[in-house]
Amino acid sequence: LAVIAILATALALIAEFDSARLFDIAADPAALGSSEFLPKGYFGIWAALPFGMWLFLAVEGVPLAAEEAKDPATDVPKGIIGAMLFLFFTAILVVFLLPGAAGASSIGSSGVPLFDALNATGQRSLATAINALGLAGLVASFFSIIYGYSRIVFALSRAGYLPRFLSLTGERHIPNWALIVPGIIGFLASLSNEGGLMLSMAVVGATISYALMAASHILLRKQQPDLHRPYKTPGGVATSSAALVLSLIALTGVYAYDPRAFWYTLALFGVIASYYFLY
């Protein structure tokens, strides 16, 4: 339903697109490298990286289904590559069509860009329908997150990094405690008024995990070159090295946008690392 919402919005806004509206943000003369194309200069690119990542965030959750896939060596790469290509397509639609129809300045300050872009172009009935479809997509994302966190907690518990009871399964081999305990923590966190802060912290955590995965891939290629690999990364170490550098740059981009999220997440990682090394 959420995909239908994005595609319907794109079809409705194509006729309203005007490339001049992409550049209606006044350039900041005090910003280094500012221009009509980069109104906030180079700092704007840096601070926008976390938002760009949100267009793809959590796609790395696809491999969490590996143990439940019939042929993970074939199915998981197909799933993640297909998801990346489709997300790239929808990202292009959102990033260009919305500001091109309603204005970059207007969409840049919007909390509900699809809804506001359709309203700005006079398509109020469609905007209401899209809002309802978007809500359905948001609910669906909750279930994918629940699935993802349960498999991570289950795997960490089974490996001995978290309390053992979290990897206990029920009669249907479902990790019940790995579903329930983080769910309670997540529900309590949702009662706070710091949703934006938690979202930014999630990006910090994601960029750290991306950097660690890229570094791990490089180490595996160097230390175990003969390891059986059903799927080989195109470009090999060069691809992983580029991903590592980009992840670290994106990590610092969160600091440019919200320093609190940056330091809070690093402090949280420090606590978790202390637990790991000491216990």
Side-chain angles (χ1 to χ4, degrees):
L1 292 175
V3 168
I4 290 171
I6 292 176
L7 297 180
T9 302
L11 288 173
L13 295 179
I14 286 176
E16 308 289 339
F17 181 82
D18 182 351
S19 60
R21 295 194 185 102
L22 296 172
F23 308 101
D24 69 350
I25 300 176
D28 181 0
L32 180 64
S34 67
S35 63
E36 183 185 36
F37 182 67
L38 296 176
K40 302 295 183 182
Y42 303 130
F43 180 85
I45 298 176
W46 186 37
L49 283 173
F51 294 93
M53 288 191 64
W54 271 114
L55 295 167
F56 300 90
L57 196 68
V59 71
E60 73 278 4
V62 174
L64 296 175
E67 289 192 37
E68 288 149 293
K70 291 183 178 179
D71 184 7
T74 301
D75 297 340
V76 172
K78 283 182 180 178
I80 201 166
I81 292 169
M84 286 291 293
L85 291 174
F86 185 76
L87 288 173
F88 180 72
F89 170 68
T90 54
I92 293 294
L93 294 181
V94 170
V95 170
F96 285 95
L97 281 181
L98 269 62
S105 180
S106 173
I107 295 301
S109 59
S110 171
V112 281
L114 271 68
F115 181 76
D116 287 344
L118 290 168
N119 269 334
T121 54
Q123 303 181 66
R124 299 187 182 281
S125 297
L126 181 59
T128 302
I130 294 300
N131 222 21
L133 292 174
L135 181 60
L138 181 63
V139 173
S141 74
F142 291 160
F143 291 110
S144 65
I145 293 167
I146 290 169
Y147 176 87
Y149 78 57
S150 68
R151 270 51 184 177
I152 292 173
V153 171
F154 170 77
L156 288 172
S157 171
R158 186 176 58 179
Y161 298 127
L162 291 176
R164 290 288 188 182
F165 80 91
L166 291 171
S167 54
L168 294 176
T169 57
E171 293 181 0
R172 300 178 65 185
H173 308 292
I174 295 169
N176 298 328
W177 289 108
L179 283 161
I180 295 169
V181 173
I184 293 172
I185 296 172
F187 174 72
L188 294 175
S190 72
L191 300 178
S192 75
N193 294 320
E194 293 288 356
L197 174 63
M198 286 189 284
L199 289 174
S200 297
M201 290 178 67
V203 177
V204 178
T207 51
I208 291 175
S209 72
Y210 298 158
L212 290 173
M213 284 188 281
S216 297
H217 181 261
I218 295 169
L219 288 174
L220 272 175
R221 279 294 183 94
K222 290 186 175 298
Q223 295 177 359
Q224 300 186 45
D226 299 323
L227 186 70
H228 174 62
R229 293 177 170 86
Y231 174 80
K232 292 186 178 181
T233 302
V237 172
T239 302
S240 296
S241 299
L244 176 59
V245 172
L246 290 171
S247 297
L248 294 175
I249 295 173
L251 171 62
T252 61
V254 181
Y255 177 82
Y257 170 68
D258 190 343
R260 286 190 310 158
F262 181 82
W263 292 117
Y264 286 178
T265 311
L266 291 189
L268 185 61
F269 268 80
V271 171
I272 296 169
S274 299
Y275 166 82
Y276 171 76
F277 287 110
L278 296 176
Y279 178 77

